[in-house]
């Protein structure tokens, strides 16, 4: 409450620009985004793949439909769910969070994860009191950025669901990234998998053994990172792993049309190249 009042007062004294529409505004911006722009950040309400949460064309009516990739080979996690599609205002907000130091956006955006959290819970991706773990950055990368955006998102969902018996904070220094890989964007699916192979390690197995885990990240693209984390967690004795991300990148939407190794949910399984 105190920080919100302080933010409001600072906003009155020093007008700042909305990170999405760039208008200079007096008064408080919620997480750097103006009142007019927040409603543009909308959840995906259409059909999804029952296992990996991939948004599907509206023509698919079945409630337990699997996308081509999930029919061919399932991911090692129990299920993945995202708030929305990686495009438009949601994409702009995430890019600001990740690359322009808009750290305060993180926890506000994280509160949106309450919706996919319930979706994960309803499909049995985790039971009571799961450990909440952000996908880690390499320590050198986190120092450079000043924060881990996945941690801020995870903290936001912990706060949003505090009254529902969810952990107060995400667990840190349980899962670590041992190598700085090349950025995943722009790589083929095969290259993405190779890029994260053996990168993640569990350094405190006693904190997760025989527990369920909700793994939080900003964007799920091919699922290569989420799968590599899941493999490390399950080797350390974790029971179930649910993947919770703010956005899902899919080739059906213009912003990610050129994304390599893309999912093709409407094509026959044999022709799909995604993962
Ligand atoms: Zn705005
Ligand atoms: Zn799927």
């Amino acid at each position: 409450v105190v920080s919100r009042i302080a933010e409001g007062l600072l906003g009155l004294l020093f007008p700042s620009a909305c990170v999405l529409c760039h208008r200079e505004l007096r008064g408080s911006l919620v997480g750097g985004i103006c009142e007019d722009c927040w409603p543009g950040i909308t959840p995906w309400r259409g059909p999804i793949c029952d296992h990996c949460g991939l948004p599907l064309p509206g023509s698919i009516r079945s409630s337990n439909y699997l996308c081509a990739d999930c029919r061919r080979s399932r991911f090692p996690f129990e299920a993945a769910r995202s708030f929305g599609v990686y495009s438009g205002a949601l994409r702009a907000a995430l890019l600001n969070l990740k690359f322009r130091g808009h750290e305060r956006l993180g926890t506000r955006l994280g509160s949106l994860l309450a919706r996919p959290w319930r979706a994960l819970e309803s499909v049995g991706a985790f039971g009571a009191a799961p450990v909440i773990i952000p996908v880690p950055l390499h320590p050198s990368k986190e120092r450079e950025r000043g924060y881990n955006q996945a941690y801020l998102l995870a903290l936001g969902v912990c706060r949003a669901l505090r009254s529902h018996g969810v952990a107060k904070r995400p667990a840190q220094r349980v899962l670590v990234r041992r190598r700085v890989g090349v950025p995943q964007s722009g790589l083929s699916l095969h290259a993405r998998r190779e890029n994260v192979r053996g990168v993640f390690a569990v350094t405190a197995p006693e904190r997760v053994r025989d527990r369920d885990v909700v793994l939080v990240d900003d964007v799920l693209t091919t699922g290569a990172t989420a799968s590599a984390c899941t493999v490390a967690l399950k080797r350390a004795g974790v029971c179930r792993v649910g993947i919770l991300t703010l956005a899902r990148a899919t080739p059906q939407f213009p912003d990610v049309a050129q994304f390599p190794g893309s999912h093709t949910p409407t094509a026959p399984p044999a022709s799909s190249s995604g993962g």
Side-chain angles (χ1 to χ4, degrees):
V1 171
V2 170
S3 81
R4 272 191 200 150
I5 292 170
E7 196 171 304
L9 287 173
L10 282 172
L12 284 173
L13 292 169
F14 309 103
S16 50
C18 164
V19 298
L20 296 184
C21 68
H22 308 294
R23 284 184 302 157
E24 282 262 319
L25 295 158
R26 230 167 247 286
S28 81
L29 299 174
V30 185
I33 294 179
C34 76
E35 297 291 336
D36 294 340
C37 287
W38 270 108
I41 301 178
T42 51
W44 172 256
R45 291 195 173 88
I48 56 169
C49 168
D50 193 46
H51 184 228
C52 76
L54 179 75
L56 300 169
S59 54
I60 291 162
R61 294 272 174 259
S62 166
S63 59
N64 44 19
Y65 184 93
L66 292 181
C67 75
D69 292 312
C70 289
R71 266 180 277 152
R72 212 168 35 154
S73 64
R74 287 227 174 185
F75 293 108
F77 43 79
E78 321 315 307
R81 292 294 182 268
S82 308
F83 171 79
V85 169
Y86 189 61
S87 67
L90 181 58
R91 177 173 178 271
L94 271 176
L95 289 174
N96 274 299
L97 168 65
K98 215 164 156 178
F99 300 113
R100 287 175 212 161
H102 290 288
E103 185 181 341
R104 60 197 171 138
L105 255 180
T107 49
R108 178 66 183 82
L109 288 170
S111 68
L112 302 177
L113 290 172
R115 182 189 170 97
W117 174 285
R118 289 186 199 98
L120 268 185
E121 200 171 24
S122 71
V123 294
F126 57 85
V131 184
I132 302 165
I133 298 181
V135 169
L137 292 176
H138 188 268
S140 66
K141 182 96 182 171
E142 188 166 339
R143 266 196 304 276
E144 185 188 307
R145 188 170 290 170
Y147 56 89
N148 174 3
Q149 71 280 359
Y151 175 80
L152 295 175
L153 293 171
L155 185 61
V157 75
C158 288
R159 287 179 183 167
L161 295 172
R162 195 167 5 205
S163 57
H164 294 71
V166 167
K168 276 192 187 141
R169 291 191 157 269
Q172 283 185 290
R173 285 173 284 280
V174 173
L175 181 70
V176 298
R177 189 187 286 256
R178 292 192 286 205
R179 278 202 316 268
V180 192
V182 246
Q184 293 281 74
S185 53
L187 298 181
S188 70
L189 173 62
H190 178 73
R192 279 169 182 254
R193 283 191 180 146
E194 286 304 311
N195 195 31
V196 289
R197 189 186 296 278
V199 160
F200 298 99
V202 174
T203 51
E206 70 284 356
R207 290 169 64 191
V208 287
R209 194 175 295 126
D210 301 325
R211 303 277 303 272
D212 291 342
V213 164
V214 174
L215 189 71
V216 180
D217 207 358
D218 48 357
V219 186
L220 185 73
T221 305
T222 58
T225 299
S227 295
C229 290
T230 301
V231 167
L233 287 165
K234 291 203 171 180
R235 277 195 192 133
V238 167
C239 302
R240 288 176 281 182
V241 178
I243 311 296
L244 186 66
T245 69
L246 195 63
R248 181 62 191 254
T250 131
Q252 296 159 49
F253 299 90
D255 284 333
V256 285
Q258 299 308 313
F259 134 80
S262 58
H263 288 264
T264 48
T266 50
S271 70
S272 170
S273 60

